[in-house]
């Protein structure tokens, strides 16, 4: 889901200070960069020093690459950043409660806007359309995790013609690192993610048990109404393929709205529920989700609920991101705890 909340980190005097510090950290030698990004040609003769990100993962990549001083501002968040990045993020101003206005972004004087979701700078332009930034002289980078093989659908999140693969996340890391002039840091970050995935998948599913089925519940407009759950081709589906389990919802849409009657008919072995700091809907609250599962006459009869096979996962891990690797780790641990891995 794309409705995002923010955490408040605004500090006075940040803009000038961050610009000065960014200059100090600029590589002495910079190789000009040209690349195709989601159908748009980008060229950089020098590294960007004032980056505005739209989407938590875009900001986290910049932070994880050690380039916090270049991050002028950010917007479109679900949660505070993970603990490992919190200190680096402490100076970053947050622009708006959901999607910052075009004028608000331009006021930060960015020399690059990096966006996680097509919906924010694509044709619908919840902040602005990409061509508006181009006309204003600001280059934009759109995450390939959200533009590759994505098509319009009945929901704003779109649908996928082909399943998400982790390689598109690695591509984003490498490209942003190269644009910023620190390609070696991109290599190191990808290697660390690959190591974590390898560690999480060392154990195999028990041969004497069938592969479990999983439902990912992100949120709902209202408890008891249709649930926004993961389709069969997004980041949760990649987590499933990585661990050898199966999604119960066969939909190409990223986050289809599904009735609890349909969920009951599928009767998943495991339900993953998304936790987040935002509170746009009642079901954003993880405790509200858990209470619903325990008390709703239909939901409490589900196998996963009766057997206590409920996994709490940061909602940001359910969208393609650095945090998706944490999603693999959490579900792998749950599979061990629930007896599906040996």
């Amino acid at each position: 889901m794309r409705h995002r909340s923010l955490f408040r980190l605004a500090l006075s005097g940040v803009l000038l200070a961050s610009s000065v510090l960014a200059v100090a950290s600029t590589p002495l030698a910079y190789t000009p960069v040209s690349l195709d990004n989601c159908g748009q040609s980008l060229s950089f003769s020098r590294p960007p020093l004032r980056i505005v990100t739209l989407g938590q993962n875009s900001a986290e990549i910049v932070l994880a690459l050690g380039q916090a001083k270049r991050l002028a501002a950010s917007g479109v968040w679900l949660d505070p950043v993970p603990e490992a990045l919190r200190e680096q993020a402490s100076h970053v101003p947050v622009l708006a409660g959901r999607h910052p206005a075009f004028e608000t972004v331009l006021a930060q004087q960015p020399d690059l806007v990096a966006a996680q979701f097509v919906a924010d700078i694509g044709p619908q332009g919840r902040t602005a359309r990409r061509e508006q930034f181009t006309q204003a002289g600001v280059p934009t980078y759109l995450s390939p995790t959200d533009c590759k093989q994505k098509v319009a659908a009945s929901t704003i999140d779109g649908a996928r013609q082909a399943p998400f693969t982790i390689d598109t996340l690695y591509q984003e890391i490498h490209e942003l690192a190269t644009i910023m002039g620190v390609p070696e840091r991109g290599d190191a970050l990808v290697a660390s993610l690959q190591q974590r995935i390898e560690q999480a998948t060392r154990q195999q599913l028990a041969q004497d048990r069938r592969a479990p089925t999983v439902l990912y519940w992100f949120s709902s407009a209202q408890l008891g109404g249709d649930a926004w759950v993961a389709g069969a081709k997004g980041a949760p589906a990649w987590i499933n393929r990585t661990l050898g389990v199966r999604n119960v919802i066969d939909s190409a849409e990223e986050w289809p709205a599904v009735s609890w009657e349909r969920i009951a008919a599928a009767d998943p072995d495991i339900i993953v529920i998304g936790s987040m700091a935002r509170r746009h809907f009642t079901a954003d609250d993880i405790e509200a989700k858990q209470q619903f599962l325990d008390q709703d006459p239909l939901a409490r009869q589900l196998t996963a609920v009766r057997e206590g096979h409920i996994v709490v996962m940061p909602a940001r891990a359910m969208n393609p991101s650095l945090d998706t690797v944490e999603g693999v780790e959490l579900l792998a641990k749950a599979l061990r705890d629930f007896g599906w891995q040996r």
Side-chain angles (χ1 to χ4, degrees), residues 259-270:
S259 71
W260 284 98
E261 288 76 15
R262 181 178 171 186
I263 293 171
D267 196 21
D269 297 305
I270 298 170

Side-chain angles (χ1 to χ4, degrees), residues 230-234 247 249-256 258 262:
K233 295 183 178 181
N247 196 355
I249 302 299
D250 186 15
S251 171
E253 289 191 12
E254 195 84 343
W255 293 104
V258 175
R262 181 178 171 186

Side-chain angles (χ1 to χ4, degrees), residues 6 8 16 53 59 71 116 127 157-158 171 219 232 253 307:
L6 311 174
R8 301 285 179 185
L16 178 59
T53 59
L71 196 51
Q116 182 176 358
T127 287
D157 303 299
Q171 176 187 344
S219 189
E253 289 191 12
E307 296 186 359

Side-chain angles (χ1 to χ4, degrees), residues 215-252:
L215 175 85
Y216 293 80
W217 179 18
F218 193 99
S219 189
S220 303
Q222 59 183 10
L223 288 168
D226 288 354
W228 288 310
V229 301
K233 295 183 178 181
W238 173 79
I239 294 174
N240 289 348
R241 293 195 306 274
T242 300
L243 295 173
V245 302
R246 183 170 62 85
N247 196 355
V248 295
I249 302 299
D250 186 15
S251 171

Side-chain angles (χ1 to χ4, degrees), residues 21-341:
L21 289 170
V23 171
S25 63
T26 301
L28 295 177
Y30 182 78
T31 302
V33 177
S34 295
L35 57 89
D36 177 84
N37 172 241
C38 299
Q40 184 163 314
S41 296
L42 297 179
S43 295
F44 298 87
S45 59
R46 60 178 182 270
L49 302 180
R50 294 188 56 77
I51 301 172
V52 172
T53 59
L54 302 175
Q56 184 159 353
N57 186 56
S58 301
E60 288 186 7
I61 289 176
V62 176
L63 295 171
L65 290 171
Q67 303 303 299
K69 302 306 181 184
R70 301 176 192 237
L71 196 51
S74 188
V76 195
W77 288 70
L78 273 176
D79 273 321
V81 295
E83 184 64 34
L85 299 176
R86 204 152 294 171
E87 183 177 352
Q88 295 96 304
S90 62
H91 80 285
V92 182
V94 175
L95 298 179
R98 284 195 181 186
H99 310 286
F102 180 51
E103 295 76 13
T104 302
V105 175
L106 291 185
Q108 308 306 310
Q109 299 181 316
D111 49 10
L112 175 65
V113 171
Q116 182 176 358
F117 301 118
V118 172
D120 289 316
I121 64 170
Q124 294 170 303
R126 289 187 298 195
T127 287
R129 296 185 307 280
R130 209 171 179 187
E131 54 265 30
Q132 290 176 267
F133 282 108
T134 300
Q135 292 167 3
V138 179
T140 55
Y141 178 90
L142 180 58
S143 172
T145 68
D146 203 54
C147 74
K148 281 196 170 183
Q149 301 294 331
K150 287 288 288 286
V151 295
S154 60
T155 61
I156 196 170
D157 303 299
R160 290 184 184 269
Q161 294 176 311
F164 162 76
T165 69
I166 198 70
D167 289 340
T168 53
L169 175 64
Y170 296 159
Q171 176 187 344
E172 179 176 12
I173 292 169
H174 283 305
E175 288 180 343
L176 285 175
T178 301
I179 288 170
M180 289 186 285
V182 289
E184 71 289 346
R185 296 195 179 195
D187 294 339
L189 178 55
V190 168
S192 70
L193 296 175
Q194 291 172 327
Q195 185 176 27
R196 288 172 60 189
I197 294 168
E198 180 182 356
Q199 178 68 30
T201 56
R202 282 181 179 174
Q203 289 184 279
Q204 301 296 315
L205 292 174
Q207 296 301 310
D208 58 342
R209 299 193 65 178
R210 63 172 176 79
T213 56
V214 184
L215 175 85
Y216 293 80
W217 179 18
F218 193 99
S219 189
S220 303
Q222 59 183 10
L223 288 168
D226 288 354
W228 288 310
V229 301
K233 295 183 178 181
W238 173 79
I239 294 174
N240 289 348
R241 293 195 306 274
T242 300
L243 295 173
V245 302
R246 183 170 62 85
N247 196 355
V248 295
I249 302 299
D250 186 15
S251 171
E253 289 191 12
E254 195 84 343
W255 293 104
V258 175
S259 71
W260 284 98
E261 288 76 15
R262 181 178 171 186
I263 293 171
D267 196 21
D269 297 305
I270 298 170
I271 296 178
V272 179
I273 54 178
S275 64
M276 66 195 87
R278 81 166 195 191
R279 290 295 182 267
H280 295 170
F281 307 102
T282 303
D284 288 349
D285 188 337
I286 192 68
E287 293 182 0
K289 285 190 181 79
Q290 293 171 321
Q291 186 176 42
F292 171 81
L293 292 175
D294 290 338
Q295 297 181 0
D296 180 78
L298 182 60
R300 69 186 184 188
Q301 296 302 318
L302 295 172
T303 298
V305 178
R306 288 188 287 103
E307 296 186 359
H309 292 170
I310 308 298
V311 181
V312 176
M313 182 179 292
R316 63 183 186 273
M318 299 184 189
N319 285 316
S321 64
L322 299 179
D323 304 303
T324 301
V325 176
E326 181 184 356
V328 171
E329 294 167 334
L330 287 171
L331 188 55
K333 181 181 185 302
L335 291 171
R336 293 192 296 272
D337 292 344
F338 299 156
W340 264 290
Q341 284 188 345

